[in-house]
Amino acid sequence: MRRTRRLAVSTALLLAASLPGPAAAASAAPDCAGLAGLRIPAPVMSLPTTGGRVTAVSVVSDPVHGEYCRADADVFPVDPAAPAIKLRVALPRAWNHKAMMFGGGGFDGTIPDLTANVPFGPADRPVPLARGYATFASDSGHRQNPASPPSLDGSFGVNDEALRNFAAGDALKKTRDASLFLIRHAYAATPAEVYFAGGSTGGREALVVAQRWPAAFDGVISAYPAWNNLAEILDLGYLTQVLSRPGAFPGPEKQTLLYDSVVAKCDGQDGVRDKVVSNPGGCRFDPRTLRCPGGADTGPDCLPDPQIGAVTAMSTPFRWPYRIASGETGYPGFPFLSGADMRTPFLGFGTTAPADPMPVTSGYGTQYWDQWVKYFLTRDPGHSPLEVDPRRPGRWLGRISYLSTVEDRNDADLRPFARAGGKLILLHGAADELVSPLSTSDYYERVRAVAGPTGAFLRYYVVPGANHANFGTPAFAAGWDSLTALERWAEAGQPPANPVVTDLVHHRTRPLCAYPGWPRYRAGDPDSAASFVCTR
């Protein structure tokens, strides 16, 4: 179905380009002035809204990305108390007749940069806008408080429509429909292909669109996806309580000690010592080997008993002893004891123990839990995040169960997406400190359990040494031209074959192995992918 539409659109574009007069508008520059003040009719969106309107337009001359028209618009809510969805489109003068939607991050609340690259994108290729893509994105239906840490304002959760726009992904389809309306109006043509790319929350959003609206996108790039959002939140809540206990929080020196000790043990098991743990599943470090004499904290070169307990809890699957409506029963924990990168305090442990009020120097996950408790769960900004125990939620169990149906909507049935011709590239860094790669592997196995062999529509890669979004200075700063791979697959039927990922910091390459494969060193230059072979 999707391929028939693509061929028809492409043929129409070729015919239009060869004709004189108005029909040639498909190849002309976008009509930027014609977008000013344009009303977006509610019927162009498949989900309920009260329409929308373009609020600003401008022509941007950029020596890197080329000239493009930027248009901002509001999509109006049904509930007058809910905020509008603020979206933006970037329409290049040299359009390639394709469109790319970007996902957000954290609690969203800002419009992603339309001149950015896809997650784990390459350094030696143009970004989508510079390639001629019309790019678009939205704030997912709320604005972040500028005083809050980036992507950590959950206050919109007190409004049901705003919550569904973000957590259930309703804003994604509204944004897609409204943006394509603007693209069609500007170019007098429909994109031949529409793609989606996102990481973290954006990675979850990528999976949401593939599952909820299987014919809406021709291809999807989902990186380090927080797909089971509520399940992870409950684990983060439990770990917040653990790390808030007296003496349990390992400070930055202890975090570095633990990470270095894990890498020292697990590095080299792939055949070469390069500070990259290529097979995390094949090694697990025992933190008790770092125990301080007598279990008390005697300095930066050892771990006291409370910190050993905390690190063990963070690296252990979390299970809750009650039923919730989504059917989720736990979260697999974080692989800190097999190579996850804990040297990035903001995304990992933080530099300060969790407390009430929650310090902005605590870890990202504990601050996320704090906002979720205040605005999603209790809807009481004064409620302490330390007073809700995810193991025994008491009167909050019903609300948790309801929220699970909103936040954990991914049921892993991607068969409609596959039947529509959709292609999905799924990526995760093995050293991710914020969203567990074990969770994405679980999702992949669930998809296989439902759909059977997935080679016709899904490729999943775990990148050794890569952390969350290449934050800080990871052991392996992943860069791969997944967009070109997706184009060839979706448009020409050529699936990714023997892909190679580049370390953008250390200037080396590795084979990008399809899960559950990992790169083992054979012989030759250890900085060259040709010296490794994918194995299991």
Side-chain angles (χ1 to χ4, degrees):
M1 177 180 68
R2 178 183 275 120
R3 181 156 180 81
T4 300
R5 177 183 69 81
R6 179 163 60 241
L7 289 173
V9 171
S10 299
T11 301
L13 292 172
L14 290 172
L15 288 173
S18 67
L19 295 174
S27 296
D31 180 11
C32 199
L35 294 177
L38 182 66
R39 179 176 171 271
I40 305 172
V44 306
M45 289 165 278
S46 65
L47 296 179
T49 72
T50 53
R53 187 174 299 278
V54 175
T55 59
V57 296
S58 61
V59 176
V60 180
S61 296
D62 187 327
V64 175
H65 306 106
E67 182 180 300
Y68 62 94
C69 169
R70 189 175 74 182
D72 291 352
D74 287 350
V75 174
F76 305 130
V78 174
D79 176 7
I85 299 169
K86 290 192 174 293
L87 65 85
R88 179 172 295 152
V89 297
L91 309 170
R93 181 178 182 85
W95 186 38
N96 67 2
H97 301 294
K98 303 178 188 181
M100 167 69 75
M101 181 175 178
F102 287 113
F107 281 117
D108 288 342
T110 58
I111 300 175
D113 180 5
L114 299 187
T115 69
N117 211 339
V118 300
F120 284 164
D124 59 349
R125 290 297 312 278
V127 301
L129 180 61
R131 298 188 193 199
Y133 274 85
T135 58
F136 61 95
S138 78
D139 63 2
S140 83
H142 60 275
R143 260 75 64 212
Q144 173 174 302
N145 183 342
S148 299
S151 69
L152 278 172
D153 179 10
S155 60
F156 67 93
V158 298
N159 180 276
D160 286 340
E161 186 171 345
L163 187 148
R164 289 192 61 82
N165 273 334
F166 165 78
D170 288 3
L172 301 170
K173 187 60 162 58
K174 297 173 186 178
T175 297
R176 182 258 187 201
D177 293 346
S179 297
L180 289 189
F181 171 79
L182 298 179
I183 292 170
R184 289 192 298 267
H185 193 280
Y187 291 111
T190 298
E193 284 85 28
V194 184
Y195 298 118
F196 189 105
S200 197
T201 287
R204 174 178 67 85
E205 292 168 344
L207 298 179
V208 167
V209 300
Q211 189 246 314
R212 289 190 65 187
W213 304 286
F217 293 89
D218 297 275
V220 167
I221 298 170
S222 173
Y224 35 93
W227 67 272
N228 48 353
N229 190 231
L230 182 129
E232 180 177 2
I233 287 169
L234 294 179
D235 189 19
L236 292 173
Y238 166 63
L239 298 178
T240 297
Q241 294 193 332
V242 169
L243 291 170
S244 69
R245 295 169 184 166
F249 179 78
E253 287 184 316
K254 308 276 190 169
Q255 295 169 28
T256 299
L257 168 69
L258 182 60
Y259 175 80
D260 289 345
S261 300
V262 172
V263 172
K265 178 182 179 182
C266 298
D267 184 20
Q269 295 190 3
D270 58 358
V272 63
R273 287 201 166 271
D274 54 4
K275 297 187 178 180
V276 173
V277 179
S278 294
N279 181 25
C283 183
R284 185 170 175 85
F285 181 79
D286 186 350
R288 291 175 296 183
T289 61
L290 296 176
R291 186 173 185 261
C292 295
D297 195 344
T298 57
D301 297 327
C302 62
L303 296 179
D305 287 344
Q307 292 176 15
I308 291 174
V311 170
T312 301
M314 298 186 80
S315 304
T316 301
F318 176 62
R319 304 280 182 249
W320 45 84
Y322 50 83
R323 293 181 181 273
I324 57 177
S326 69
E328 293 299 316
T329 60
Y331 192 75
F334 298 85
F336 288 116
L337 298 181
S338 56
D341 194 343
M342 57 190 65
R343 302 168 302 162
T344 55
F346 179 60
L347 295 184
F349 286 83
T351 58
T352 306
D356 182 31
M358 189 65 67
V360 295
T361 48
S362 63
Y364 190 101
T366 59
Q367 294 183 65
Y368 198 97
W369 165 256
D370 172 73
Q371 293 290 296
W372 186 82
V373 167
K374 285 177 164 60
Y375 300 109
F376 281 49
L377 182 64
T378 68
R379 289 182 161 175
D380 174 7
H383 204 286
S384 170
L386 302 180
E387 292 179 2
V388 177
D389 186 347
R391 298 167 300 176
R392 294 176 289 274
R395 66 190 180 102
W396 301 113
L397 175 55
R399 178 69 178 169
I400 288 173
S401 186
Y402 165 72
L403 287 171
S404 77
T405 67
V406 179
E407 298 184 66
D408 287 352
R409 291 194 59 145
N410 287 294
D411 64 6
D413 187 358
L414 295 181
R415 288 175 296 180
F417 180 71
R419 287 194 295 267
K423 308 301 180 187
L424 168 60
I425 291 178
L426 186 60
L427 297 160
H428 211 127
D432 196 310
E433 68 277 44
L434 182 59
V435 176
S436 176
L438 303 175
S439 179
T440 300
S441 298
D442 175 41
Y443 175 82
Y444 172 75
E445 295 296 349
R446 294 189 193 196
V447 174
R448 284 176 52 85
V450 173
T454 58
F457 72 95
L458 168 62
R459 290 289 191 278
Y460 172 39
Y461 306 99
V462 177
V463 188
N467 68 358
H468 196 81
N470 285 339
F471 193 84
T473 306
F476 194 96
W480 176 49
D481 190 3
S482 57
L483 178 53
T484 295
L486 184 62
E487 289 174 327
R488 290 172 177 167
W489 197 8
E491 299 167 29
Q494 300 174 6
N498 304 315
V500 171
V501 61
T502 298
D503 184 340
L504 302 176
V505 172
H506 302 100
H507 309 293
R508 53 189 172 178
T509 58
R510 292 286 185 275
L512 194 55
C513 302
Y515 178 85
W518 52 275
R520 179 188 291 278
Y521 178 72
R522 294 183 299 182
D525 181 1
D527 290 338
S528 172
S531 302
F532 293 78
V533 61
C534 290
T535 187
R536 297 188 179 188

